[in-house]
Amino acid sequence: MGAIFVTSAVLYVGPRMAREYVDPVPKEWAFIVVGALVFSAFLLLSWACAGAWMAVANKWKAASTLITSRSLSDLERSILFGMGGNPTKPLNLEDINYFAMGISRLEVLQAVSDLARKDLVHLGLFTSDLVFFTEKGRERALELQRESSAYKGSK
């Protein structure tokens, strides 16, 4: 499309600007040159606007994810802190004793879903009972551990 735009622009503007280098297009072909110029310019402009819109949307989504990942509920903090105890091993939701913890499985599933939306964890490919850290989640869990040890060290 870029080649069509450049060619039609040269054929349209060339005879007006540099007559010695570009011969004028015959009158019966002039509408094709103008049509190709307008069509290719519109299409290139549309693609550029769509690309710019997608870039802005991606940046906006990344910024909003970063902002929301900074605010965590107590349960989300507990999950990340607990996963940080053994960061190379996924959290298996089947192994949690919900009764002993005094929470329901639905609460944990909702918290894990919120953490996944915040791009701090991701669920296993073959089973949603395995929860893995993302790079951001590992960093956030490290922050939580440092806050906890700083709190313990101040006592």
Side-chain angles (χ1 to χ4, degrees):
M1 197 51 55
I4 292 172
F5 175 75
V6 169
T7 303
S8 60
V10 167
L11 289 175
Y12 183 75
V13 176
R16 292 167 178 78
M17 302 287 286
R19 186 173 291 276
E20 62 275 358
Y21 296 112
V22 182
D23 293 329
V25 177
K27 286 192 180 239
E28 55 272 358
W29 289 90
F31 74 94
I32 293 175
V33 171
V34 172
L37 180 63
V38 170
F39 177 74
S40 61
F42 177 75
L43 199 54
L44 289 173
L45 182 65
S46 298
W47 288 344
C49 289
W53 178 261
M54 292 301 295
V56 168
N58 287 341
K59 292 293 183 184
W60 182 263
K61 182 178 178 185
S64 66
T65 300
L66 179 66
I67 291 168
T68 58
S69 69
R70 299 308 300 169
S71 62
L72 298 173
S73 70
D74 289 339
L75 182 56
E76 292 170 344
R77 293 172 73 87
S78 298
I79 290 171
L80 286 179
F81 188 80
M83 287 178 68
N86 190 357
T88 59
K89 186 176 178 186
L91 172 66
N92 189 345
L93 298 178
E94 291 290 324
D95 293 343
I96 297 174
N97 186 348
Y98 298 101
F99 182 74
M101 292 179 64
I103 56 174
S104 71
R105 183 178 172 108
L106 285 175
E107 289 175 306
V108 172
L109 288 173
Q110 182 63 43
V112 167
S113 174
D114 291 342
L115 288 170
R117 189 175 49 30
K118 294 174 182 178
D119 197 28
L120 297 173
V121 299
H122 65 88
L123 303 176
L125 293 175
F126 300 109
T127 177
S128 61
D129 287 334
L130 295 179
V131 182
F132 298 87
F133 271 128
T134 62
E135 191 64 36
K136 288 184 203 175
R138 193 174 295 116
E139 291 171 6
R140 187 73 168 114
L142 180 60
E143 288 175 18
L144 293 174
Q145 283 182 346
R146 287 180 179 158
E147 289 173 8
S148 174
S149 63
Y151 176 74
K152 289 178 184 176
S154 67
K155 283 188 174 182

